């Protein structure tokens, strides 16, 4: 987890002007918990050695490799710094190969707009477990089933099961959670209403 946050804020190690610019435009951190893969494609003789790469803009983070497993349980957290919530997030699954280029095992894209919209609401008045919004699977998204944004234990979370594209089969289950950072623009400033 700490490695992911460090990667997300790597510009903080640059000169003060770059660091100041990053903090001015930073809305917060998006924690993506990559839970598991479901019925992933076989790319080796009988199995695969899958890992997940998550990209948003120029940021690229990846999970560890799970050896010989088409139903891997990563339960790994990757943290992206969010400056522009309208950017889509791309998730790609690869099969790790030792002596050749890693094989692609499918990809999926998702946007965080419903999640960000829920974060901007005053949810303290709602009871724990309240569903804020629902997104149905359709041709325009990679959802395998309905995805709900939920107010749970004082936090906004969203669980998704993404159907992988460009592959014969496979799904990846993830969960989104937001992290506010002191000294950042945040989602609640007057300027963020146009987001």
């Amino acid at each position: 987890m700490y490695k992911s946050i460090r990667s997300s804020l790597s510009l903080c190690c640059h000169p003060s002007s770059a660091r100041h610019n990053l903090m001015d435009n930073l809305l917060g951190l998006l924690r993506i918990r990559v839970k598991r893969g479901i019925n992933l494609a076989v790319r080796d003789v009988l199995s695969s050695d899958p890992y997940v790469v998550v990209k948003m803009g120029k940021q690229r983070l990846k999970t560890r490799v799970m050896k010989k497993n088409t139903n891997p349980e990563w339960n790994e957290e990757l943290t992206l710094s969010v400056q522009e919530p309208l950017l889509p997030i791309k998730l790609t699954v690869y099969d790790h190969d030792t002596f050749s280029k890693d094989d692609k095992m499918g990809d999926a894209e998702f946007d965080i707009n419903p999640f960000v919209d829920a974060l901007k609401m005053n949810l303290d008045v709602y009871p724990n477990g309240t569903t804020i919004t629902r997104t149905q699977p359709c041709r325009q998204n990679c959802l395998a089933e309905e995805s709900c944004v939920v107010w749970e234990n004082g936090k906004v979370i969203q669980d998704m099961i993404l159907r992988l594209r460009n592959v014969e089969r496979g799904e990846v289950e993830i969960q989104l959670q937001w992290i506010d950072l002191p000294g950042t623009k945040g989602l609640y400033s007057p300027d963020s209403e146009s987001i």
Side-chain angles (χ1 to χ4, degrees):
M1 176 179 101
Y2 299 109
K3 180 178 95 178
S4 301
I5 292 174
R6 253 186 286 129
S7 299
S8 300
L9 297 175
S10 62
L11 287 176
C12 292
C13 299
H14 290 275
S16 61
S17 61
R19 179 176 54 239
H20 192 269
N21 190 30
L22 172 72
M23 296 306 278
D24 284 348
N25 295 324
L26 186 63
L27 299 175
L29 300 177
L30 179 68
R31 179 175 292 151
I32 302 172
R33 184 173 190 190
V34 181
K35 292 183 172 184
R36 63 190 181 118
I38 304 162
N39 198 26
L40 299 178
V42 173
R43 288 292 179 260
D44 295 332
V45 178
L46 297 172
S47 191
S48 295
D49 302 324
Y51 66 93
V52 174
V53 173
V54 174
K55 290 183 184 178
M56 181 183 195
K58 295 179 182 178
Q59 299 174 78
R60 182 182 187 275
L61 301 170
K62 70 179 199 172
T63 65
R64 68 190 182 280
V65 174
M66 300 297 284
K67 295 285 187 186
K68 299 185 188 321
N69 199 335
T70 55
N71 291 290
E73 301 259 347
W74 285 286
N75 285 315
E76 196 166 330
E77 293 177 345
L78 305 177
T79 305
L80 297 168
S81 56
V82 179
Q83 295 180 6
E84 176 55 63
L86 299 179
L87 285 176
I89 298 174
K90 186 169 184 178
L91 178 147
T92 307
V93 181
Y94 291 93
D95 171 49
H96 176 73
D97 289 321
T98 305
F99 301 110
S100 62
K101 184 178 176 186
D102 292 353
D103 299 315
K104 196 170 175 183
M105 296 173 63
D107 62 80
E109 239 181 47
F110 62 96
D111 72 74
I112 59 171
N113 292 324
F115 182 75
V116 169
D117 289 344
L119 286 165
K120 293 178 186 178
M121 298 170 61
N122 178 15
L123 299 172
D124 293 331
V125 297
Y126 292 99
N128 190 46
T130 299
T131 298
I132 307 305
T133 186
R134 300 172 191 271
T135 305
Q136 300 297 324
C138 66
R139 289 179 184 245
Q140 286 75 39
N141 64 39
C142 292
L143 294 174
E145 59 185 49
E146 180 181 75
S147 175
C148 297
V149 177
V150 178
W151 176 246
E152 192 169 291
N153 298 322
K155 295 178 180 167
V156 176
I157 62 167
Q158 182 175 6
D159 287 306
M160 294 181 186
I161 296 179
L162 301 169
R163 180 171 288 122
L164 297 174
R165 305 176 295 192
N166 306 310
V167 69
E168 60 271 22
R169 66 173 194 240
E171 298 174 348
V172 175
E173 185 178 351
I174 64 171
Q175 182 182 77
L176 307 181
Q177 186 177 333
W178 187 259
I179 303 169
D180 279 315
L181 288 177
T184 62
K185 183 177 179 181
L187 290 171
Y188 313 103
S189 69
D191 296 340
S192 67
E193 289 177 16
S194 61
I195 295 173

